[in-house]
Amino acid sequence: MKKASIILFIFISNFIFCQEKFNNEREIENIQNYDIEKISKKIDEKTTIFGTLLTPKSDFNKILVIISGTGKITQKAHNYLTEYLLENNIGVFKFDKRGVGKSTGEYNDQPKIYTKDFIGIYREFEKLETIKNKKIGFLGHSLGGIVSTQSIEQNIKPDFLIQWSAPIGKPRELMKYQIKNGIKNYDKSIIGKNTKEQINTLNYVYQLIDKHPNKTAWDLWKIGKRESKKVNINKKSFSNYLMPHNVDFARIDNTKTYQNIDFPTLVIIGKEDILVDPKQSEIELNRIRNSNIEFKEIEKLNHFMTKKGTNQLTNEIYDIELVFKEYLVNWILELKK
């Protein structure tokens, strides 16, 4: 089987990826107005995760834990949002991903690894005296939303949850949505003459994975190589896709997690999001029918809650629109104390 040449995980299109080359960091203004606590957690021999809790000096009762999306994103990327939260008397906890910022180890965005790192640093965060008697919420952006649900499945439960541009149900479905939107990240892993052929191949691969839930990627490849011709699918069209991390991702289904959520949850997404399908999110939530979950779609905003034309190569991508920040903060502040 050929070595995969795909980009790991599928939340950022070509014009945003490889964020380590971009200026996506920003210092917090008037940092002296807030209290700062730094913590770290050793995950393994090579990996230590570093995080920071920022809190208002005045009395406050809520803290938001930010779980970033795909890419080499440090604590400083979301500082526009952090400032707004702090100004509205909401504390913020952030952390550097492994291999990014102060955190050591080899960068890895695979959900299993990212979730393990988050749970590790969150367990250290729970030990802080500052957070006692505070309401703790998770804000998962995109891939961070998957990490939040996988953490909940491992009994890491917040008092409230915000899922920002995060896929609902089977996250793998966003791959078809992105292909239809002209995103070319997958042309080397799902090969086809056109979009229709790529989608047909993906549908076949997903059926293959679902039919054999306990098979390894290598076993699936052998089955696909033998059987795909029967349904007019060229084995070469998916050979680069059937890698362990892709199969693991294709098997994620957070439907039951959303069905079982028993705390206030906001699922919020931009109507112009071309990476995660707003319509699919709403359909899935309507099917789940959990009264604890609110769905909100915001007009004219994209995956990052900015408007079309935002400079993707700078921290401007994180300078989210006021309408989103206001909705977020109002929703948090209206929660019961």
Side-chain angles (χ1 to χ4, degrees), residues 76-272:
K76 297 180 180 180
H78 287 289
N79 277 348
Y80 285 106
L81 176 58
T82 299
E83 286 178 348
Y84 193 81
L85 291 164
L86 290 168
E87 289 166 3
N88 284 276
N89 227 35
I90 299 169
V92 179
F93 177 72
K94 302 177 295 181
F95 59 97
D96 293 326
K97 293 181 181 181
R98 66 165 58 199
V100 180
K102 292 184 178 180
S103 293
T104 61
E106 184 178 354
Y107 169 71
N108 191 324
D109 248 354
Q110 296 181 31
K112 284 184 179 179
I113 302 297
Y114 193 179
T115 301
K116 177 183 176 182
D117 292 347
F118 170 64
I119 291 175
I121 193 65
Y122 186 75
R123 288 304 190 195
E124 290 301 308
F125 166 77
E126 287 183 312
K127 298 175 184 178
L128 297 176
E129 287 291 323
T130 306
I131 76 167
K132 287 187 176 180
N133 302 316
K134 310 296 184 187
K135 295 289 185 182
I136 309 299
F138 295 167
L139 169 64
H141 178 228
S142 195
L143 173 60
I146 294 177
V147 170
S148 68
T149 54
Q150 292 198 319
S151 299
I152 290 168
E153 290 166 9
Q154 297 182 49
N155 208 33
I156 306 295
K157 295 186 177 182
D159 295 304
F160 60 94
L161 173 67
I162 300 169
Q163 298 290 70
W164 164 17
S165 304
I168 310 298
K170 294 182 178 180
R172 71 188 190 188
E173 291 303 311
L174 60 80
M175 190 169 176
K176 288 186 280 187
Y177 179 67
Q178 292 183 13
I179 289 173
K180 290 176 182 177
N181 282 328
I183 292 172
K184 302 295 184 181
N185 279 0
Y186 319 109
D187 287 356
K188 293 182 180 180
S189 59
I190 297 294
I191 298 170
K193 295 178 182 178
N194 50 48
T195 297
K196 183 178 179 180
E197 282 194 8
Q198 286 183 293
I199 298 300
N200 286 342
T201 298
L202 265 182
N203 286 332
Y204 170 74
V205 172
Y206 291 163
Q207 290 171 7
L208 179 67
I209 291 171
D210 291 346
K211 186 177 179 180
H212 305 282
N214 299 316
K215 296 291 187 182
T216 66
W218 176 239
D219 289 336
L220 291 169
W221 160 241
K222 289 188 290 185
I223 296 169
K225 180 182 178 181
R226 184 172 64 248
E227 298 181 353
S228 58
K229 190 175 181 179
K230 299 175 185 177
V231 290
N232 296 316
I233 299 291
N234 188 326
K235 63 179 183 291
K236 293 182 179 180
S237 66
F238 58 84
S239 61
N240 284 344
Y241 178 82
L242 282 176
M243 294 292 170
H245 56 270
N246 284 330
V247 172
D248 286 345
F249 186 82
R251 285 174 170 156
I252 295 174
D253 186 348
N254 54 39
T255 302
K256 288 184 178 179
T257 305
Y258 282 105
Q259 289 173 337
N260 295 329
I261 280 176
D262 58 0
F263 41 80
T265 297
L266 172 65
V267 174
I268 189 165
I269 192 166
K271 192 169 185 177
E272 303 303 318

Side-chain angles (χ1 to χ4, degrees), residues 30-47:
N30 301 314
I31 190 69
Q32 69 279 2
N33 294 340
Y34 309 110
D35 291 324
I36 304 172
E37 293 182 73
K38 296 183 179 296
I39 62 172
S40 63
K41 173 64 177 180
K42 187 174 182 179
I43 306 298
D44 53 45
E45 289 302 314
K46 296 182 179 180
T47 307

Side-chain angles (χ1 to χ4, degrees), residues 256-313:
K256 288 184 178 179
T257 305
Y258 282 105
Q259 289 173 337
N260 295 329
I261 280 176
D262 58 0
F263 41 80
T265 297
L266 172 65
V267 174
I268 189 165
I269 192 166
K271 192 169 185 177
E272 303 303 318
D273 194 328
I274 64 170
L275 302 178
V276 176
D277 186 356
K279 292 181 179 178
Q280 189 263 349
S281 295
E282 185 172 19
I283 289 169
E284 289 296 321
L285 289 173
N286 286 337
R287 186 169 61 86
I288 290 168
R289 299 184 66 173
N290 186 333
S291 61
N292 293 303
I293 302 175
E294 173 188 337
F295 176 74
K296 175 65 177 178
E297 185 180 62
I298 300 185
E299 298 281 342
K300 300 180 181 179
L301 298 188
N302 60 25
H303 188 69
F304 288 87
M305 292 299 177
T306 56
K307 293 181 179 178
K308 187 176 181 180
T310 302
N311 187 345
Q312 310 289 347
L313 306 184

